[in-house]
Amino acid sequence: MTALLQHPGYEDESLQRVAEQLPCREAQSAVLLSLMGQPQQYSYPSIFIYGHRASGKSHVMHVLLRELELPHATLSCVECVSGVLLFERVLLSLFGHEAAALLPRSASLSDFVRVYRQQCSLSPAEQTRFIVMEKAELLRDADANLLPALLRLQELVEDNVTVVLLSEIAWDKFRPNTGCFEPLLLHFPDYSKGELQQILSQDRHPSYSADFYSSYINILLGVFYSVCRDLRELRHLAALNFSKFCEPVAEGKVKETDTHKLWRNIEPHLKKAMQTVYLREVSSLQWEQMQQMEEKETGVVRGLSAHTHIELPYYSKFLLIAAYLASYNPARTDKRFFLKHHGKIKKTNFLKKNEKTSNHLLGPKPFPLDRLLAIFYSVVDNRVAPTASIFSQISSLVTLQLLAQVSHEDQLDAPKYKCAVSMDFICAISRTVNFDIVKYLYDFL
Amino acid sequence: MRELGLEDHFAEGCEGAENTAARFELCQQLWDKLKTDTEALQDELNRKVLDSLLDLTRKCSTTRQHSDWASKMRASEIPTAALVLGVNVPDHDMTFQSLSELLQQSVTPHVASVQAKECGTLKHLMKRVLERLTGTAVDDEEEEEEGAEQTSTPLHKSSHCSLSTLCDWYNAKARKSSTGTPGKKRSSPTKDEHQQPPVVIIFKDLEAFNPRVLQNFILICSLYIERLPLMFIFGIATSPSTIQHMLPHSVSSLLCIELFQSLSCTQHLATVIDKLILTPQFPFKLNGKVMQVLISIFLYHDFSVRNFIKGVQLALLEHFHSQPLSVLCCKKKQALLNVTQLGHLDLERVRQLPSFKRYVERQEHQEQVSLLTDDGHLKEVCQRLIKDLRKYHKNYYPVLRCLHTLTSSLPRYPLGKQIRELHLICLEKNVSENEDYQSAMKLLKMLAKDELITLLQRCADILQSVKSKKMRTAHVQLEELLAKFKQLDSVETAPVVEENITSPVRNLQKKTDLFQLQKTLLEMNESRRSKKLSPFEVLRNDALEFIDGLVKSHLCPPESQTLNEACYYSSSATVRRHLNAAPRTSIQAALRTPYYYIQNDSLKTEDGSVSNAAPDICIAYKLHLECGRLINLFDWLEAYATVVSAAEGNDPDSDDYGKVDEVKHSRSSARFIQAVSELEFLGFIKSTKQKTDHVARLTWGGC
């Protein structure tokens, strides 16, 4: 297994350690090693690594740089809200505090290059310096010259430096209009089922044998592999359900080797966990408590999403109902719903071409405040004074994200809103105030 | 000039100036008591949820030390508590306040709470968090460089607000506390030396945060979780699913979320009313209408207990401000003392009270005279009346609770589900005359034996704790009744002879004649009525009569009590106007009756017309009310000019009126145009293209 990683210029021992820490990524690390060459050799100016989430991009880079003891700077682009922060980080980790302090406030790219050159003339590179940038896709939103400059940084600073960009997005989506230096592309493919098995089996529980844990992972993957291949999520699920799995063993009912019985024991729990996969809605603790509860009363799994009921003040409910009606009914039909003597209007005469599709399929439409209030006053059963608190309820509905303000916040005159709640939600709300909303919806006429 | 104190403001425009100081003091005392009581109550109510939150933080600080498998597997997740608090956002401040205090006292000194409105961007959020944790101002990019160097902050100059700064700070802090004086550590004795107190960040209003900012912040935090024991608390107003709406899976997978649900606000209000309003301890009372206003603001508008308390505060202040006799609204001893100190003017006010007048009418002639003339005698009577009022309150609340226990589980809740509804009914008028009360009593008669006994037992428990003579005798009576019920159990009920019923039923089966049927049915009815009641039924009727007697004698409305005006605040209109402002109504009031706001005597008019000396806009408004949907501007101007010129003393009938004064005319038309544009600004009219020289009216209804 370790035979793959052999490279001149590095000690065998550290290569050995690298290989141990990078299961199933031997090929990629070998490619990277050969790209990096020997420590003192110049490397390719920029390398772009992409692959799905949890495919080991950062991990491989970290392990390589750490174990081979190469000078490097690792930073996440999320954290570097401005270019200045980014420059500072790089200088800090490559040259220390003094160098970073040389940067002027609100430094530009040329300041960075100047300081870098100055520093590297003081301490010329004996080994290739690496700058690893995670979540590189955010660089696209930064200054236009930042990404092209980083790609050919080696040239700009005349130093043995390599920029490694890590991203979940392919390079095609990065290329600026003006053209730039093309980095070397390296793809990290997803792990296969066997590889996942191998990786997950590594973090075994210390008090159980490796085989036991591996068989557990096998069962887990059997259930979840069809819906979820994300290593991180699988690891979360493995941690979540393991205590349940080894319960019969701990109680002494079953031996570790009796896989069949263990499978029979864990299967229903895993099936339940399927319903909430990816949602992360229950913490492990609550999950365990819930499983204990279920043993007493075999109910359905209730996660965070089960608690959707919201208590609202009486008029807020009607405001929300009015907003829903305004969002999903065409304005022309208001007369038919809210006027007493509207006469009989057949739906067919009413339809325009584009209205034949259900409004619910098209999503909520914006409506002005006046219309909302007009509907509100006709929907609510008793007379309501147009008090300030009615208006403040509208804005608090906006902060609660039940309504969305469409027009700009600065527009005080005739603001526009959209209703942001689902049909189920509004039905539940109107049931609590004895309002039959379906009768007022144009789609269900 | 000396600053005006609170008291001076209170005295300003106060009714009955001679005892303002005493009233102000009483008002302050009552408000302080109310405030501390509500705070204590809220703490009590939140205790459970806060305690479990504290447990979570403690646990997450200890699990970091233990390197067991499960916690190692989860080391990369940020522990997060989702605290669902309900939509009454104004109330949350207090909860978070006590939460962060509790955290700081018992778990960790590092607590920062942030609000959405101060964190528009990631940088701001980061800055706020750092500032609140480190307690120092973080150097900003906009700051001058020299300034940053001069302030010898321990933070390195090159570090902007970023989490790595925080990490350094935290490590320095931890090192200091472990090497430094260990006795000074805030940690409780159970903790070991190398305890790492977690860094808690509270997001007060999760929904209002910009999702992008929050996502990025969490991503950054997760990069540091190995070095920094972070923990989040999300304050959620709606439902926990907002977390999923706001955070994509890539972000939420970095969190280990645990859910906490706080008490619902309606329950909260019920407790507040139960503990603070429905108690004789608190001398200040609200009458039915004011109570109704406050409760409907709560239920219809905001669900905020804090605002409810504010409403009570307003009523309290208004009461002491406007009612000179409110000096009597205090504890018994002091009230009796205050009675002796009443001046002649105050006693005259007592004589003017409607409740007192009614009282006087009930007295004999001799007594009436001395009540109306002899101040000393009046004082004595007042003392007695105040004692009576206190007794009334002492008996009212226990009986109210008893009645509520009995009726709150009846089908369809004839007297309301909540005790506050029953309280409102009782405040309004005599509850025993209420139809719903009669039907509730009928329903009570249909209760099964064991149900009735448990309800009565609960009533007895309520009465037991009351220290009042009448209630004590009532309790004894109720216990006797209960004992009798229990005796019924032991004595086997004698088999009731049902032959007199069965025979007509048998007859019924035989005969099919309509007339006969009717006759037998009537007979049956008769026989049932005359049927001898079973011992249980007799006892049940006794018990209900007893309850009915209690209700009739103790649950009469407060208006019937003499001197109730001293304790009850009754101006619901004031409360409504202050708490539930209606901007449009006030604009219309200002336009229709300018005297209302300007208070200029020349504007005073009768029958709703506007004086011609009123401001231009009022005149224009008044004239436009007479028009239809479209208003001819020229006609309007003519009418306006007529009114205004009349005001300036020009008699339209005089000779020289015909001469058009050019200057005056142009001035009045300028004023008119200004008034019209003001009306347009206020939203009463708008320009229209349907007709030239016309404007459209936007409101309906004329004069």
Side-chain angles (χ1 to χ4, degrees), chain B residues 40-91:
Chain B
L41 201 61
Q42 174 146 32
D43 280 352
E44 191 57 44
L45 290 173
N46 284 327
R47 171 121 319 137
K48 217 177 128 202
V49 87
L50 291 187
D51 278 351
S52 46
L53 251 175
L54 287 185
D55 280 346
L56 178 78
T57 43
R58 268 189 215 115
K59 206 158 46 195
C60 88
S61 70
T62 49
T63 45
R64 293 191 131 256
Q65 266 73 53
H66 303 305
S67 47
D68 69 319
W69 180 79
S71 53
K72 232 190 323 194
M73 285 294 277
R74 212 153 283 134
S76 60
E77 293 172 5
I78 307 174
T80 304
L83 183 57
V84 183
L85 291 163
V87 294
N88 46 335
V89 183
D91 292 354

Side-chain angles (χ1 to χ4, degrees), chain A residues 21-26 28-29 32 49-64 132 134 166-168 186-191 196 199 229-232 235:
Chain A
Q21 289 180 50
L22 299 176
C24 314
R25 279 289 172 246
E26 291 86 3
Q28 283 77 17
S29 41
L32 269 172
I49 303 176
Y50 69 101
H52 281 151
R53 189 184 315 136
S55 54
K57 304 177 293 290
S58 319
H59 184 60
V60 168
M61 272 327 286
H62 286 180
V63 168
L64 276 176
V132 184
E134 291 170 24
L166 308 180
S167 177
E168 289 173 27
L186 191 58
H187 178 56
F188 275 43
D190 285 349
Y191 292 114
L196 283 174
I199 295 168
R229 293 172 189 199
D230 185 346
L231 180 63
R232 241 196 288 172
R235 188 173 274 160

